[in-house]
Amino acid sequence: MKDMGKKSKPAAAKPVTALDGKRFQSVGIVMNVLRLSLEDLQAAMLQLDSSVLTAEHVRSLWEVRPQAEEIAAIKALSKSSGSAAPLDKPDKFLLSLNEITSFSERLQCMLLKGCFAEALSDVSRRATDMLLALDFLRNGKSVQRLLGLVLAFGNCMNSTNNARGNA
């Protein structure tokens, strides 16, 4: 016996995806790790704001950046399914990342920005060490004494061995 008082809701269309299972999962993980709204993410990317996007976030976004083939497949799926079946969240996420002007280039800039200070510090430390070593070799009294002893030893060896000549 049917309950006439309750109206049955039509079943919501199941979201569709153009991504394979592994890619779908990795994009979903990055979405959960970011914990940012799409608007906040887009604003941070457009401003290259490293206070919102940490170096780890930028590396994660680089790993899941949208590829041209994926975007074409998602757009084709969206057109073919129309409003009957909405796109799943990872597909929407990739589409919105694709809408950010020069997204990949912006990610590269943010990666470089994050690595630059560390690389500069490393190069600076190595250059300082090299300058200290050169200064020690040029002005160090112990090095001068050592080279003086080597010179004296060589002169002594040359002067005692007349059969070989004087070098």
Side-chain angles (χ1 to χ4, degrees):
M1 190 162 128
K2 290 185 180 179
D3 187 5
M4 296 294 183
K6 291 184 180 178
K7 294 182 181 178
S8 62
K9 291 183 181 179
K14 183 179 178 186
V16 294
T17 185
L19 305 173
D20 66 33
K22 186 176 178 183
R23 178 74 169 154
F24 182 88
Q25 185 177 10
S26 60
V27 172
I29 290 170
V30 169
M31 288 171 56
N32 289 333
V33 166
L34 288 175
R35 297 179 192 246
L36 291 171
S37 69
L38 288 175
E39 294 79 22
D40 291 341
L41 176 61
Q42 287 175 337
M45 285 300 301
L46 290 173
Q47 296 170 0
L48 300 175
D49 189 355
S50 58
S51 65
V52 175
L53 293 172
T54 66
E56 187 61 36
H57 289 155
V58 173
R59 280 191 287 275
S60 297
L61 284 169
W62 180 258
E63 293 298 320
V64 299
R65 68 189 183 281
Q67 304 299 317
E69 304 85 32
E70 289 174 330
I71 296 302
I74 292 169
K75 286 180 178 179
L77 180 65
S78 177
K79 286 180 184 176
S80 69
S81 67
S83 62
L87 289 174
D88 215 338
K89 287 180 183 178
D91 296 76
K92 289 179 185 176
F93 181 73
L94 290 180
L95 275 178
S96 60
L97 292 181
N98 189 57
E99 291 172 3
I100 298 172
T101 308
S102 304
F103 178 72
S104 292
E105 291 80 5
R106 289 175 186 275
L107 279 177
Q108 286 177 327
C109 286
M110 291 184 81
L111 286 169
L112 178 63
K113 183 180 174 183
C115 298
F116 184 76
E118 183 180 329
L120 180 63
S121 172
D122 185 45
V123 168
S124 177
R125 182 182 48 79
R126 290 176 187 222
T128 301
D129 290 347
M130 180 68 77
L131 289 174
L132 288 171
L134 288 172
D135 185 54
F136 176 76
L137 289 174
R138 190 178 320 136
N139 302 323
K141 298 297 178 194
S142 59
V143 173
Q144 289 177 355
R145 274 195 9 242
L146 176 66
L147 291 176
L149 286 172
V150 169
L151 179 63
F153 182 71
N155 288 340
C156 181
M157 286 181 60
N158 279 339
S159 67
T160 58
N161 189 358
N162 290 334
R164 297 178 94 176
N166 291 329

